[in-house]
């Protein structure tokens, strides 16, 4: 007793569709998640510490600002 | 205090390379390493422009983003520095930097000896004891801790290169641009040192 080969066609098609549909379930997300790195080196002292300013931030800022303003020759000739 | 920034006035820069020399001398930078260099466009053609380029101490620095060992850090004043003890000399920062600021000491290999990266520190030293010999050997002198600005800017003979707090630098440049005027053909001595408002002032006073 032999079965007609065309009778197995719907089963084969159904199996194909199912396997194609399920293939997406095996997808692994490939989008990289970037993480913000953290500095891993030695800690540094701030410029107004450990120096001639001895922790006086305001004095350091004042000195630096004055120095920066002196770059303008218009300030120097006035 | 805001952010420390460099600004190079292309109208004033005369390509003297004084900034480059000052930097190399101040920090005793080795052969093959140029923390700062002068780039000239249309060299020899009327209207040529030169600008002095070094690390721009970016607000969102790409070198910091790509470093695999996270050896970069930013100070409270916006200066981008790095720890040479953590650096593996991979060169990623060099590829990421749009200004070509990261430098590698010359060696036997084509791309340096993959030594420690070296770059402009805004004369702020590095993560070693301030003013120590170790700091000088690795990063150069720490002028910022002495209340001084980077030597390249302070040495600039035409004051094309400005350094310091961004607001102060912007104010200086704004005043300069207003005084010298603007236009399509702004070039030369008058453009750099005041041909616009200053000249008109002199004319009004009958001096010229």
């Amino acid at each position: 007793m032999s079965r007609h080969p065309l009778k197995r066609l719907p089963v084969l098609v159904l199996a194909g569709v199912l396997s194609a549909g399920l293939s997406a379930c095996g997808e692994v997300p490939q989008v990289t998640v970037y993480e913000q790195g953290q500095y891993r080196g030695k800690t540094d002292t701030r410029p107004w510490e450990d120096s001639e300013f001895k922790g006086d931030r305001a004095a350091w800022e004042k000195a630096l600002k004055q120095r920066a303003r002196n770059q303008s020759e218009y300030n120097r000739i006035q | 205090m805001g952010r420390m920034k460099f600004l190079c006035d292309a109208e004033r820069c005369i390509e003297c390379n004084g900034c480059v020399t000052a930097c190399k001398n101040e920090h005793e930078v080795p052969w093959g390493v140029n923390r700062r260099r002068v780039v000239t466009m249309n060299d020899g053609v009327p209207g040529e422009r030169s600008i002095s380029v070094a690390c721009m101490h970016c607000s969102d620095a790409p070198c910091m983003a790509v470093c695999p060992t996270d050896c970069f850090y930013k100070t409270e004043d916006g200066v981008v520095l790095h720890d040479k003890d953590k650096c593996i000399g991979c060169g990623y920062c060099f590829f990421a930097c749009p200004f070509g600021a990261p430098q590698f000491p010359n060696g036997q290999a084509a791309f340096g000896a993959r030594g420690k990266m070296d770059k402009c520190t805004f004369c702020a030293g590095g993560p070693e004891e301030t003013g120590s010999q170790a700091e000088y050997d690795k990063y150069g002198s720490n002028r910022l801790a002495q209340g001084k600005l980077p030597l390249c800017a302070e040495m600039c003979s035409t004051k094309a290169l400005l350094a310091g707090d961004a607001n102060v630098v912007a104010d200086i440049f704004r005043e300069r641009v207003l005084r010298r005027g603007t236009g399509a053909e702004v070039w030369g001595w008058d453009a750099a040192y005041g041909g616009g408002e200053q000249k008109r002032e002199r004319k009004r006073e009958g001096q010229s």
Side-chain angles (χ1 to χ4, degrees), chain B residues 132-148:
Chain B
S132 64
Q133 190 60 37
E135 185 185 52
Y136 187 79
D137 290 344
K138 286 182 190 171
Y139 309 102
S141 72
N142 192 340
R143 290 172 56 84
L144 224 57
Q146 299 165 3
K148 297 173 185 171

Side-chain angles (χ1 to χ4, degrees), chain A residues 48-65:
Chain A
W48 54 89
E49 297 167 347
D50 272 358
S51 63
E52 58 193 73
F53 294 96
K54 296 180 176 55
D56 189 352
R57 183 175 184 171
W60 177 76
E61 286 184 358
K62 193 179 168 191
L64 223 62
K65 226 161 214 172

Side-chain angles (χ1 to χ4, degrees), chain B:
Chain B
M1 183 64 73
R3 287 187 174 279
M4 293 295 172
K5 287 289 176 197
F6 284 119
L7 191 150
C8 186
D9 186 350
E11 305 290 348
R12 283 196 178 195
C13 181
I14 56 171
E15 200 194 352
C16 71
N17 277 282
C19 50
V20 179
T21 312
C23 175
K24 282 191 85 84
N25 188 54
E26 175 73 4
H27 305 295
E28 290 183 15
V29 182
W31 274 107
V33 173
N34 280 307
R35 291 183 176 185
R36 177 170 285 286
R37 65 206 180 284
V38 178
V39 178
T40 303
M41 285 150 282
N42 297 326
D43 203 352
V45 179
E48 70 168 37
R49 293 285 189 281
S50 299
I51 51 167
S52 178
V53 186
C55 173
M56 300 301 279
H57 300 278
C58 305
S59 303
D60 187 8
C63 54
M64 287 180 84
V66 300
C67 180
T69 59
D70 288 325
C71 74
F72 287 91
Y73 66 103
K74 186 176 284 191
T75 68
E76 287 180 31
D77 323 300
V79 180
V80 178
L81 299 172
H82 71 297
D83 185 348
K84 283 193 178 181
D85 294 342
K86 282 279 172 193
C87 178
I88 55 172
C90 66
Y92 271 24
C93 50
F94 177 75
F95 291 121
C97 178
F99 304 103
Q103 301 279 301
F104 292 85
N106 269 353
Q108 292 164 348
F111 185 44
R114 295 277 169 173
K116 307 291 183 186
M117 186 274 280
D118 190 89
K119 74 169 194 70
C120 161
T121 62
F122 208 88
C123 288
E128 293 287 347
E129 190 189 338
T130 302
S132 64
Q133 190 60 37
E135 185 185 52
Y136 187 79
D137 290 344
K138 286 182 190 171
Y139 309 102
S141 72
N142 192 340
R143 290 172 56 84
L144 224 57
Q146 299 165 3
K148 297 173 185 171
L149 291 170
L151 191 64
C152 52
E154 297 221 39
M155 285 280 285
C156 182
S157 54
T158 61
K159 286 284 164 270
L161 185 61
L162 303 170
D165 182 35
N167 289 334
V168 178
V169 168
D171 284 344
I172 294 170
F173 190 64
R174 192 179 301 113
E175 186 189 14
R176 188 182 284 181
V177 169
L178 286 172
R179 284 199 183 219
R180 75 181 170 209
T182 53
E185 299 302 319
V186 171
W187 183 74
W189 184 271
D190 285 349
Y193 298 105
E197 187 56 33
Q198 285 180 338
K199 213 170 207 175
R200 281 192 288 279
E201 268 176 31
R202 283 201 298 272
K203 269 185 184 168
R204 275 198 295 272
E205 292 162 8
Q207 291 175 353
S208 61

Side-chain angles (χ1 to χ4, degrees), chain A residues 22-75:
Chain A
L22 286 171
S23 66
C25 298
E27 281 284 311
V28 178
Q30 293 182 20
V31 179
T32 309
V33 179
Y34 292 102
E35 290 177 10
Q36 188 65 44
Q38 290 286 321
Y39 173 57
R40 288 190 278 177
K42 280 182 271 188
T43 50
D44 193 10
T45 51
R46 293 178 289 189
W48 54 89
E49 297 167 347
D50 272 358
S51 63
E52 58 193 73
F53 294 96
K54 296 180 176 55
D56 189 352
R57 183 175 184 171
W60 177 76
E61 286 184 358
K62 193 179 168 191
L64 223 62
K65 226 161 214 172
Q66 187 57 42
R67 201 111 175 168
R69 285 203 186 99
N70 281 343
Q71 291 178 112
S72 173
E73 65 275 7
Y74 299 126
N75 285 345

